[in-house]
Amino acid sequence: MKTIIACLLLPLATSASAEDFRPNIGPDLPSITVKCGEVTILLRQSTQWTPGRIDFRGTPMTTERSAYGTVFRYPETGFIGTAHLENEPEDLQSLSFFLDGKELTTLEATLNGKSFRFVRESKIRRFILTNIIEIKNNRLYETATIKAEVETPLSLVYHFMHAWTPTASELIAGNDDKPDDDIHQPLLDDENVSRLFYINRSVDWLSIYEPNSSQFAVSRILEVPKNTESISTIWNVPNTYRKYYLRGFQNQTVPKDFNGTWRMVTAFGHEDPGKWQPAAKDLAEKLRE
């Protein structure tokens, strides 16, 4: 069963009127917290049921002060999708929740299990968007599928936005076939590096380190559509976040009937500052399996 979503939706330009749907999730829950093993995610109603925070071993690895998921940027309008409600909200179609392989018809504010799967379907103008989040084996899997009903020029699309905590102090990234070309970048709060984008290229994996908890996160790109450019970047905004984006369709036109899927997995570890990079690279290799 697919449960119809609950946000107050403003009409799109082609909509006749606004509709107010509520999923069968209990008495006006503003958010749902899902814990599976060492990984916890927060899903927020205010951002149209997209993630709001990612924790590892009870420690927030990201900040709630941002948008997560997938967002489109139109040349004439700006951003549409996830928490970007300033222009148009998504036309949300359905949500499905599965805990330990069983579909849920009612939800509580906190869910605990060994595995979790969340399927979110929406429309953004003439795009059909499906986002899937899975937690299993202490790994976070994210999938985004876009289907285009018409040819559409875009400024860009961002997938898998992760607003890593502003205390993250370093990043590394690389490609499997070029191990000598890895990126290592300190993440600083200095004014001269404020609002800079780092990496800005296609990579197979990337990792950030959070020194207060001695924890790190590793994300590996598992799938991108053929003949598309998928660029990883981290936006350094001191005291706010070190935000990851997977960027596509920058100043390009998405052809009619395009149907493409992007997939990423994120896992976590704990290591001392002087030893975290080898540990992160080892985990990045394991995520290939």
Side-chain angles (χ1 to χ4, degrees):
M1 167 184 172
K2 291 186 176 178
T3 308
I4 301 300
I5 191 96
C7 297
L8 287 170
L9 300 182
L10 297 176
L12 300 184
T14 58
S15 300
S17 62
E19 295 183 14
D20 179 14
F21 296 114
R22 290 202 175 276
N24 190 21
I25 61 171
D28 297 325
L29 293 177
S31 64
I32 299 169
T33 299
V34 183
K35 182 178 181 181
C36 295
E38 297 179 320
V39 177
T40 302
I41 64 168
L42 174 71
L43 300 172
R44 299 182 297 192
Q45 185 185 40
S46 63
T47 60
Q48 303 181 106
W49 296 108
T50 54
R53 199 183 69 245
I54 304 170
D55 301 351
F56 178 62
R57 294 180 178 175
T59 298
M61 295 294 287
T62 67
T63 175
E64 293 186 41
R65 298 164 57 189
S66 191
Y68 292 73
T70 296
V71 68
F72 294 70
R73 185 172 182 177
Y74 288 81
E76 75 283 5
T77 305
F79 287 113
I80 303 176
T82 185
H84 286 280
L85 305 176
E86 66 272 17
N87 297 310
E88 300 171 13
E90 292 173 77
D91 182 2
L92 296 175
Q93 303 292 298
S94 66
L95 299 176
S96 299
F97 302 83
F98 301 84
L99 189 67
D100 294 334
K102 180 180 179 181
E103 186 167 9
L104 304 178
T105 57
T106 57
L107 300 179
E108 298 178 354
T110 302
L111 300 176
N112 288 275
K114 294 181 179 180
S115 67
F116 175 73
R117 177 181 170 90
F118 170 56
V119 183
R120 177 183 183 273
E121 297 182 345
S122 66
K123 291 190 71 176
I124 296 180
R125 293 189 174 178
R126 299 300 296 277
F127 289 106
I128 300 171
L129 172 64
T130 301
N131 292 109
I132 301 175
I133 294 175
E134 296 178 274
I135 311 174
K136 55 185 179 181
N137 301 322
N138 290 322
R139 295 177 179 181
L140 174 65
Y141 292 85
E142 296 171 272
T143 302
T145 298
I146 292 175
K147 298 178 182 179
E149 297 179 331
V150 298
E151 181 180 277
T152 305
L154 291 175
S155 296
L156 55 80
V157 175
Y158 283 142
H159 294 299
F160 311 136
M161 297 186 292
H162 289 174
W164 298 115
T165 175
T167 56
S169 60
E170 296 178 79
L171 74 85
I172 55 174
N175 291 96
D176 299 329
D177 57 351
K178 297 180 180 179
D180 295 330
D181 196 27
D182 289 350
I183 298 169
H184 172 224
Q185 179 68 56
L187 297 171
L188 305 175
D189 296 333
D190 300 347
E191 185 175 347
N192 65 320
V193 293
S194 176
R195 296 183 176 271
L196 289 183
F197 284 91
Y198 291 114
I199 305 179
N200 280 315
R201 75 185 200 197
S202 177
V203 295
D204 294 321
W205 61 270
L206 65 134
S207 179
I208 60 96
Y209 185 72
E210 202 294 300
N212 295 334
S213 62
S214 298
Q215 295 183 163
F216 59 88
V218 179
S219 295
R220 171 173 284 278
I221 309 300
L222 299 177
E223 180 181 354
V224 298
K226 293 182 179 179
N227 303 317
T228 62
E229 186 177 54
S230 296
I231 302 299
S232 289
T233 190
I234 286 185
W235 191 26
N236 185 45
V237 183
N239 302 314
T240 301
Y241 48 54
R242 324 289 196 185
K243 188 166 183 178
Y244 173 74
Y245 304 88
L246 185 65
R247 186 177 71 237
F249 293 114
Q250 184 167 15
N251 299 319
Q252 296 179 24
T253 296
V254 183
K256 180 183 177 182
D257 297 326
F258 172 84
N259 187 345
T261 295
W262 294 256
R263 294 176 58 236
M264 186 171 78
V265 58
T266 300
F268 303 88
H270 181 279
E271 191 53 85
D272 293 335
K275 300 177 181 179
W276 84 272
Q277 290 191 32
K281 291 179 180 180
D282 181 61
L283 180 54
E285 182 66 21
K286 292 178 179 177
L287 292 177
R288 300 176 68 177
E289 302 172 358

